[in-house]
Amino acid sequence: MRSNDAVARLLVEFADRLEATGVEYKPNAYRRAAENVADYPEPIDQLAETGEDAVAEIDRVGDAIASKIVEYVETGSIDELEDLRDSLPVEMAALTSVEGVGPKTVGTLYEALGITTLDELETAAEAGEIQEVTGFGAKTEQNIRENIPFARQSQQRERLGAARPVADDLCAYLDTLDTVARVDVAGSIRRWKDTIGDVDVLVASDDSEAVVAGFTEWGDADDVIEAGSHKASLRADGVRVDLRVVVPEEFGAALQYFTGSKDHNVRLRNRAIARDYKLNEYGLFDISDLDTDAADTTSDTADSQRGGVKLAGQSEAAMYAELGLAWIPPELREDTGEIDAAAEGTLPTLVETGDINGDCHTHSEWSDGGNSIEEMVAAAADRGDDFHCVTDHATGPGIIEGIGLDDDALREQMVTVDAVAADSDITVFHGVETNIAADGSLSTDDELLAELDIVVASPHSALDQDTDAATDRLCQAATHPSVDVIGHPTGRLLNSRAGLSVDMTRLAETAAAADTALEINATPARLDLAGEAVRAVVEAGGTVAINTDAHSPAELDNRRYGVKTARRGWVEPTDVLNAKPSSELRAFLH
Ligand SMILES: [Zn+2]
Ligand SMILES: [Zn+2]
């Protein structure tokens, strides 16, 4: 199987390797093609089977790149890429995951020092060899050394947005097997953590061997890592998937146990022990009538773990109910007060995707989006939204020359947005994503900001400030009279950039007092704010905006990642700016 993401990853690697060898322009063509391939709504391998011409129809994919995609789909490799790999035998993705190390740097360091892996990079940095290379200095070497641990950690974790589609496809497939009674994901992916170790899938069945056989025959699997009688692992789209099969009577217990988190489970187990119960992956058991030997919980044979009177096991809700608790949504299971809330009946009514009425942060071809305003508005209407905000980039710090709109262009855009709005069934708001400079000032003229329907202000530059400076900067923007939303507040990129370090309590309180929403950016590479930071906004009585920051209609589908992240921060619908109907939204906007 060659998924669109797999093809896109290969094109990015192609671009990196070309750039490392000093080729100009061409790498960017490959990167743009990769983006459009990843976003393409149909399976690229099927398209490739109909020929190069069909593939070349994809936006920004020219004949040359199309022929390479077809070559890959047909043969599993691309000759020219293999040559590039041979001439520069480095672990490109691992090395470029170090902030400040781009493909060109990788090429230079390979030529000068023969560095091919993260370990070799670290050794060279510690030995002071990098600062000796022409074009590098002590400061660069120190930066590289400091950024390696973050890069190493990110190499071991997968972005939620990369893993979740694999999990969804696999669960849908397993559901079609006769021997599968129930299937669900467990582990951190069920809690919608922003990055995950691997995908845990749990199946209820009375015929585990048939399920394992079906699992290993999944057409999307790249390779099967191992297969036993109740467990198996495979890799698909670069993601490791671990399957576990249990009998239906124990599915709820296993689902609870393997969903975690560890801290949540420890607290839950203590609650069970206090009631003379035993809680484990097989069920919840009353052991008050057992003699001490039989109740020995240190023995780890499955039979001894099932001793006592079984109280629950088939359903997760019953497991919680027998412990005197309301069922706790997986997103909350981090041991941050959810068990007490479940005992007291004060769990939040969490926001759901259906509560969102429109997007407050999107782009069009006026800046770096791929589609016209008309197409984006139509796509939002198709999805059932009540409103859509057009917020293209303003020119300014952090925005590539030629991408952002200056004040004149924004005024010109007003006319176009008005025309589209007049023709649309949904409400269209005209706004901007302006830039918050390092000192907290904005890129767009105050008078113009006051005229626009909505103003999103985001940090796009100087993302390495210290906590005080970063918090001052964002607070100043949040209290600007025209700013409605602070976009992707930390500027982090999962697995590649840590982003601003922010005093979230101070920012949340300042923003709440100024009636400015803080964004949960649903772009899978961002998920910014993170769930833990969102909790601070809720506690300050503030408002969040759950936005996709879509640059194409397909990216509007990322909304669910933002909603799940919001749920991890205990967000209720009343906390969400874009859960308001458009009339109320208009009243909130400054
Ligand atoms: Zn932005
Ligand atoms: Zn944006």
Side-chain angles (χ1 to χ4, degrees), residues 160 192 351-362 376 379-389 426 520-524 527 545-550 552-567 576 578-579:
L160 173 69
W192 297 83
V351 64
E352 292 178 19
T353 307
D355 295 325
I356 307 298
N357 293 319
D359 212 302
C360 294
H361 179 178
T362 70
M376 291 300 287
D382 278 352
R383 280 163 174 74
D385 281 359
D386 298 336
F387 63 84
H388 181 82
C389 303
I426 66 173
I520 301 170
N521 191 297
T523 306
L527 300 182
I546 302 173
N547 297 327
T548 63
D549 195 359
S552 68
E555 287 176 8
L556 290 168
D557 290 337
N558 287 331
R559 180 175 289 166
R560 65 169 177 160
Y561 296 113
V563 170
K564 298 296 185 182
T565 302
R567 291 166 64 91
V576 183
N578 43 336

Side-chain angles (χ1 to χ4, degrees), residues 361 363 391 393 433 460 488 549 551:
H361 179 178
H363 297 270
T391 58
H393 283 290
E433 180 182 11
H460 289 119
H488 47 75
D549 195 359
H551 288 66

Side-chain angles (χ1 to χ4, degrees), residues 54-230:
V55 179
E57 288 294 300
I58 300 174
D59 222 18
R60 312 245 197 195
V61 176
D63 292 341
I65 296 178
S67 85
K68 293 197 173 63
I69 293 174
V70 171
E71 183 186 350
Y72 173 59
V73 170
E74 283 175 354
T75 69
S77 64
I78 303 171
D79 276 348
E80 203 183 323
L81 179 59
E82 294 305 323
D83 291 345
L84 286 167
R85 283 173 175 168
D86 287 345
S87 62
L88 188 65
V90 300
E91 291 179 3
M92 184 60 84
L95 290 168
T96 53
S97 72
V98 179
E99 198 177 344
V101 177
K104 272 214 179 93
T105 304
V106 172
T108 309
L109 291 177
Y110 176 73
E111 288 299 323
L113 302 169
I115 291 170
T116 61
T117 65
L118 219 45
D119 285 345
E120 288 168 8
L121 182 69
E122 187 166 41
T123 308
E126 277 167 2
E129 288 168 13
I130 291 176
Q131 58 176 295
E132 303 298 326
V133 178
T134 317
F136 293 77
K139 179 90 176 78
T140 311
E141 183 179 78
Q142 188 193 341
N143 278 340
I144 289 175
R145 208 170 56 220
E146 284 172 5
N147 288 327
I148 285 175
F150 181 81
R152 187 167 278 132
Q153 187 194 334
S154 68
Q155 283 294 300
Q156 288 154 8
R157 296 191 69 81
E158 199 69 53
R159 286 176 182 165
L160 173 69
R164 190 72 210 197
V166 175
D168 290 343
D169 288 350
L170 175 60
C171 288
Y173 161 74
L174 289 172
D175 225 8
T176 64
L177 303 181
D178 289 341
T179 46
V180 170
R182 277 199 64 184
V183 56
D184 206 338
V185 290
S188 49
I189 197 167
R190 185 161 178 247
R191 304 199 313 278
W192 297 83
K193 265 193 74 130
D194 45 24
T195 62
I196 63 151
D198 44 36
V199 174
D200 294 312
V201 172
L202 193 68
V203 162
S205 173
D206 287 314
D207 188 350
S208 66
E209 281 174 21
V211 176
V212 168
F215 174 77
T216 56
E217 285 160 16
W218 184 39
D220 284 5
D222 294 332
D223 64 292
V224 174
I225 300 163
E226 56 195 342
S229 59
H230 292 80

